[in-house]
């Protein structure tokens, strides 16, 4: 409520740094999600796996569990108040990026969880962002992946030139 009173419209929950450095669990993130939505904030819910989880072939099931534990069973106007951001932990700030095919597969898997929770029509309206070493030189390719509805930009947003390159890549895709 205080964030809303201060003028905030959105809140990012479940960011990998909060999970890793502050011990935030899926249960706590789920409680924060419910509280944020009840307060009238829009939620950007982050999910992501470690390199070990991906290498073991468990990434999609891990993300599905993360989402199910972090999202309420029902959300009124879910497409207006919820955004999911897939941020593979192993790709953040490392310069490593999943393939476009891997990103598309994960986004389709995330969409399937949303459909299961909220129904086809509502789930199709929820935007799914990609965040993980998004840079001007890879933004166009990443944003063109299946079911990618935008980017959650980290370090590349710290300089105007870098961020502008990402914006221009997104604009170019819009024009196509």
């Amino acid at each position: 409520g205080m964030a809303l009173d201060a003028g905030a419209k959105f809140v990012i929950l479940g960011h990998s740094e909060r999970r890793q450095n502050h011990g935030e669990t899926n249960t706590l993130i789920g409680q924060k999600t419910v509280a944020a939505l009840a307060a009238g904030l829009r939620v950007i819910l982050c999910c992501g796996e470690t390199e070990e989880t991906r290498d073991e072939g468990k990434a999609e099931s891990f993300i599905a569990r993360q989402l199910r534990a972090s999202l309420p069973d029902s959300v009124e106007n879910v497409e207006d108040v919820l955004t999911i951001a897939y941020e593979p932990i192993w790709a953040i700030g490392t310069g490593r990026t999943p393939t476009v095919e891997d990103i598309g597969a994960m986004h389709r898997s995330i969409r399937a969880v949303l459909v299961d929770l909220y129904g086809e029509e509502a789930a199709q309206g929820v935007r799914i962002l990609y965040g993980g070493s998004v840079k001007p030189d890879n933004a166009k390719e990443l944003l063109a992946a299946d079911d990618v509805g935008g980017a959650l930009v980290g370090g590349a947003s710290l300089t105007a030139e870098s961020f502008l390159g990402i914006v221009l890549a997104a604009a170019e895709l819009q024009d196509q």
Side-chain angles (χ1 to χ4, degrees):
M2 290 189 301
L4 188 69
D5 289 346
K9 304 258 189 270
F10 291 84
V11 62
I12 295 176
L13 299 174
H15 191 276
S16 61
E17 291 174 357
R18 297 292 305 178
R19 291 177 188 269
Q20 288 179 336
N21 301 336
H22 299 279
E24 291 193 0
T25 64
N26 292 332
T27 301
L28 177 61
I29 293 161
Q31 293 166 346
K32 287 183 171 191
T33 301
V34 169
L37 292 170
L41 290 166
R42 294 178 179 174
V43 172
I44 300 170
L45 178 67
C46 298
C47 58
E49 81 282 2
T50 63
E51 186 172 27
E52 180 181 352
T53 300
R54 173 154 290 277
D55 290 346
E56 291 172 353
K58 299 177 181 176
E60 288 184 21
S61 62
F62 179 85
I63 297 300
R65 283 192 310 277
Q66 227 178 22
L67 289 172
R68 289 181 187 284
S70 301
L71 291 170
D73 292 335
S74 66
V75 178
E76 191 172 323
N77 300 320
V78 68
E79 62 277 8
D80 296 327
V81 298
L82 179 67
T83 299
I84 304 296
Y86 170 57
E87 49 162 13
I89 296 167
W90 54 272
I92 299 170
T94 65
R96 292 188 58 211
T97 309
T99 66
V100 171
E101 292 78 21
D102 287 341
I103 294 168
M106 182 60 77
H107 281 232
R108 285 188 300 278
S109 178
I110 290 168
R111 180 77 62 204
V113 171
L114 295 171
V115 167
D116 188 49
L117 286 172
Y118 306 121
E120 181 75 32
E121 186 176 341
Q124 290 304 325
V126 176
R127 185 180 299 260
I128 304 173
L129 310 178
Y130 173 75
S133 294
V134 178
K135 298 179 175 77
D137 61 335
N138 67 10
K140 185 175 178 185
E141 179 182 26
L142 295 175
L143 291 169
D146 287 347
D147 220 349
V148 172
L152 184 69
V153 182
S157 68
L158 299 177
T159 65
E161 181 180 345
S162 181
F163 191 62
L164 179 61
I166 295 168
V167 171
L168 292 174
E172 188 175 328
L173 283 172
Q174 290 281 16
D175 292 341
Q176 292 180 352

